[in-house]
Amino acid sequence: MRRFLDGLYGAAGLLAGLCTIGVLVSVLAAIIARQLGLNIPGTDAYAGYFMAAAGFLALASTFKHGEHIRVTLLLNSLAPAASRRLDIFALSMGCLLAASFAFFSAKLAYDSWQFNDISTSNDATPLWIPQLSMAVGTILFLVALLDELVRRADVISLHARMT
């Protein structure tokens, strides 16, 4: 299971990197087209879609690599047992918030698909397509938080059994 989850987080991180390249390509295409007197409709919108996808798809991988901003001043000042409890509490609250975010982002994508909602810019993209990356990214972030919560809770229970 560990190998599967790590592969899933890595794949999402790779997709986030590809979306970052998509931002670059969209912006460069718009710049070059403008210099040539051409108009490529939707390049601004697609740059935005790629940017949002990159941000959301990178959440789980970034979290699992310890790159999210975290204030450890309080955790480091507490006794080890209290620090572990506070860490579990913070992860639990993070899971609740991430579950809410995942639910509503998935609902947004589903509603956009159901109502055939399209972009108001000149590209007229069905909005569920870019919103799907947000839903997938937030769901993977929730999985990563739950994964870390279970891992840390196992460490605490193992520590309690050893003492």
Side-chain angles (χ1 to χ4, degrees), residues 4-40:
F4 171 74
L5 288 175
D6 287 344
L8 195 59
Y9 306 144
L14 181 65
L15 280 174
L18 291 174
C19 287
T20 303
I21 293 170
V23 172
L24 173 70
V25 169
S26 296
V27 170
L28 283 177
I31 291 170
I32 292 169
R34 196 170 303 127
Q35 293 300 317
L36 297 174
L38 302 171
N39 179 31
I40 302 175

Side-chain angles (χ1 to χ4, degrees), residues 86-163:
L86 182 59
D87 197 28
I88 293 294
F89 175 75
L91 283 168
S92 299
M93 292 300 102
C95 286
L96 287 175
L97 289 171
S100 171
F101 199 20
F103 173 78
F104 285 108
S105 62
K107 184 179 180 331
L108 176 67
Y110 176 74
D111 287 347
S112 291
W113 173 74
Q114 191 174 30
F115 297 121
N116 197 27
D117 198 10
I118 60 169
S119 170
T120 57
S121 65
N122 58 0
D123 63 322
T125 300
L127 286 177
W128 67 269
I129 297 170
Q131 290 168 350
L132 194 59
S133 65
M134 181 174 76
V136 169
T138 55
I139 290 167
L140 285 175
F141 184 51
L142 172 61
V143 169
L145 281 167
L146 287 169
D147 177 23
E148 193 64 20
L149 179 63
V150 167
R151 192 183 70 75
R152 300 249 176 108
D154 282 347
V155 168
I156 288 176
S157 67
L158 178 64
H159 184 267
R161 281 184 261 148
M162 293 175 71
T163 57

